[in-house]
Amino acid sequence: MKEKKFYLTTPIYYPSDNFHIGHCYTTIIADAIARFKRLDGYDTFFLTGTDEHGQKIEKKALENGITPKEYVDKIVDNAKDLWKHLNISYDKFIRTTDKYHEEVVQKIFKKLYDQGDIYKGEYKGLYCTPCESFWTQTQLDENGCCPDCHREVHEVKEEAYFFKLSKYQKPLEKFLEDNPDFIEPISRKNEMINNFIKPGLEDLCVSRTSFKWGVPVSFDEKHVVYVWIDALSNYISALGYLTDDDSLFKKYWPADLHIVGKEIIRFHTIIWPIILMALGLPLPKKIFGHGWLIVDGGKISKSLGNYKDPREYINAYGVDAVRYYALREVPFGSDGNFSEEALIIRTNSDLANILGNLVNRTIGMINKYFEGNVCNKKINEELDENLINYALNLKEIVTNYMDKLDISNAIDCIFELFRKCNKYIDDTTPWILAKSEENNDRLQTVLYNIIESIRIGTVLLQAFLPTTAEKIFSQLNTKQTTFDTITSFGNYESPNKVGKPEVLFARIEK
């Protein structure tokens, strides 16, 4: 049987400043998907990285009296440290300043030029420096400013190379028709088709002469390759496309999933597919444009100073509290609000009350009634069926939600099992069973059913809250932690001895 493979990417982030909770949001979600796929037996490759060229960074470096490379190096080090704090399990971190990437970009540019898909002309347009985007007069907002960031645009006129987007309009339209699930969610797909593709694609400016911080065009060095071909190519250069060792490219391309913010979905669903068509390469299977995480109702903004370093949240509440909030709070695809108050409420209600309390009281009862010994006496009653059946079907339920990228519901279904465990404890009343010796075997069975259900939930939880899952496995003292152990009920070792109960999540007092 051919090995199942899964290649997913985050956008490569622009390191003009240290990363905020919005960058973390996208990356935590990608990480949960990658971890889930690995647990589900997929040979998974998870790519993230940074898009480091351009006028904005050149300008910031100049203001700081350092070179652009020195400027981005500091921010990239900070980003990698942040990903470490968040438990991000990426397989590769690409930087567009990596030498191999720059060489691939030059080869792609030359190939497209040689086959007539890139030509030289003159560009005249309205340019937004912060967004590194050109706009036509009709695209500007009501104040004549950039429609994305609402700052001033200025007219730019320079010699430039152009990429023939217009030539590929029909093939792109046909591809989108034949692959209805290529762009998700559907609202973004409709926006791309109706607002950008149908009105007609114009050829794209793909080089600049007004700044130097970029990949030089190999055959015309006064030009640097502009962001589109430089940044978007990372998804294939990272795999060794057009290098001496392209084994990863042969193995993993096409990508199964590009996760991007809604503000860059246009580039990923129009420019990127056309670049790939021009290179004669297969297109990715899916591009998902998620919403923004806004802070306390406003867009995350350095100038507004409305956010903290994400490490402050991690240090205050724990890494898995931050991960849980990002994964559970916002339906993936919609805009969502990040507020510290909501993070505290979620941590207290779900992590401390439902999960932490469940594990703590269960292990506490086993220690109290049986000195930590667990044994499945199989004295089951009708009352047990609801819990056991739900636990048995949980992997399939969660996998279906993950396949639809409905991560919030996937994780909620795991917590539904923990809620059912808490209800099962209330219904079976172990403290009453413990009063009579003749109920001993039934009490052992009840406690085994709870422990086994916690184990099944925790096996799935590993993808989302890896640190917490590890702590629970340690308290349960189990080696049964893989997906193949949760397709039947009763794989928790019996007889066995649990550890001492430890607090997983302390309630946060505001």
Side-chain angles (χ1 to χ4, degrees), residues 288-436:
F288 193 98
H290 66 74
W292 281 331
L293 205 57
I294 51 182
V295 169
D296 297 323
K299 196 175 168 189
I300 299 172
S301 151
K302 187 78 176 175
S303 52
L304 290 173
N306 64 350
Y307 67 90
K308 294 181 184 177
D309 182 317
R311 276 163 285 232
E312 288 188 43
Y313 305 122
I314 297 166
N315 295 337
Y317 310 116
V319 58
D320 279 356
V322 176
R323 284 179 67 104
Y324 182 75
Y325 182 86
L327 294 162
R328 176 71 187 88
E329 186 75 11
V330 185
F332 193 45
S334 313
D335 284 349
N337 190 44
F338 180 90
S339 88
E340 209 162 340
E341 191 181 348
L343 182 134
I344 291 168
I345 291 166
R346 273 274 176 219
T347 303
N348 285 342
S349 69
D350 296 6
L351 298 176
N353 284 7
I354 296 170
L355 175 59
N357 188 30
L358 169 68
V359 175
N360 200 281
R361 73 200 278 216
T362 304
I363 290 177
M365 286 190 288
I366 293 166
N367 277 305
K368 182 179 176 183
Y369 303 138
F370 297 108
E371 295 177 334
N373 294 301
V374 182
C375 191
N376 186 8
K377 298 288 189 185
K378 299 188 178 170
I379 308 296
N380 282 307
E381 294 179 5
E382 207 177 310
L383 187 60
D384 309 346
E385 282 176 19
N386 181 23
L387 179 68
I388 291 171
N389 287 337
Y390 188 83
L392 268 176
N393 291 315
L394 187 60
K395 179 183 178 290
E396 192 185 338
I397 295 167
V398 173
T399 303
N400 283 338
Y401 276 122
M402 290 302 284
D403 287 346
K404 290 188 280 199
L405 300 179
D406 188 346
I407 288 125
S408 180
N409 274 321
I411 201 167
D412 187 48
C413 288
I414 299 170
F415 273 75
E416 179 58 25
L417 177 61
F418 301 142
R419 286 192 283 269
K420 284 183 185 295
C421 285
N422 281 318
K423 185 173 187 313
Y424 179 76
I425 292 171
D426 296 341
D427 292 346
T428 53
T429 58
W431 51 92
I432 294 173
L433 292 173
K435 287 178 178 171
S436 158

Side-chain angles (χ1 to χ4, degrees), residues 467-483:
T467 308
T468 302
E470 219 169 281
K471 286 178 183 170
I472 296 172
F473 288 143
S474 166
Q475 290 184 47
L476 300 186
N477 185 27
T478 182
K479 299 270 184 288
Q480 303 295 312
T481 62
T482 56
F483 269 18

